[in-house]
Amino acid sequence: MSKMQYAAGLALIACLAACTTPETRVRNGLMSAGLSKPVSTCMAGRMVDRLSLDQISKLNGLGKIRKRDPGDISVNEFVKRTKALQDPEILGVVTSSGVVCALK
């Protein structure tokens, strides 16, 4: 492999890494926590617009408790887990987003 091909490969990897948006990371975290892909996608779009990066980081910790397959838990169960964060704003956004997205 030439130096030019190697540099082009590194540039491509860097571009792909930069394409990961906060919404994508939140969606993947919600799916890792066990929510279905459609609900996770819908909720992530709403949550990144309403929560700070610090709050999103706190929420991301919920997915690390136990890795589950997408669709393993309900929105109601996820809301119950969110209460453990003891942040009324996060709870409100998760609850309202969950209701709206579950009804879509």
Side-chain angles (χ1 to χ4, degrees):
M1 180 185 304
S2 73
K3 288 183 182 181
M4 187 64 127
Q5 289 173 322
Y6 183 75
L10 286 177
L12 178 62
I13 291 170
C15 286
L16 290 174
C19 292
T20 304
T21 64
E23 187 172 336
T24 300
R25 288 191 294 270
V26 171
R27 183 197 69 222
N28 291 342
L30 292 171
M31 287 173 37
S32 177
L35 291 170
S36 69
K37 185 174 182 173
V39 170
S40 296
T41 301
C42 176
M43 286 179 69
R46 295 174 53 84
M47 290 166 61
V48 296
D49 292 338
R50 292 170 175 82
L51 297 174
S52 70
L53 290 176
D54 185 48
Q55 289 171 317
I56 289 172
S57 178
K58 286 180 186 178
L59 238 148
N60 187 40
L62 290 176
K64 295 177 183 173
I65 294 172
R66 187 181 316 169
K67 298 282 184 187
R68 295 190 180 195
D69 291 328
D72 276 356
I73 68 167
S74 66
V75 171
N76 189 37
E77 175 64 28
F78 188 73
V79 169
K80 286 180 185 177
R81 285 194 203 178
T82 304
K83 287 180 184 178
L85 297 175
Q86 298 180 347
D87 184 320
E89 188 174 4
I90 293 174
L91 183 60
V93 170
V94 168
T95 302
S96 65
S97 297
V99 168
V100 167
C101 295
L103 295 176
K104 279 190 172 183

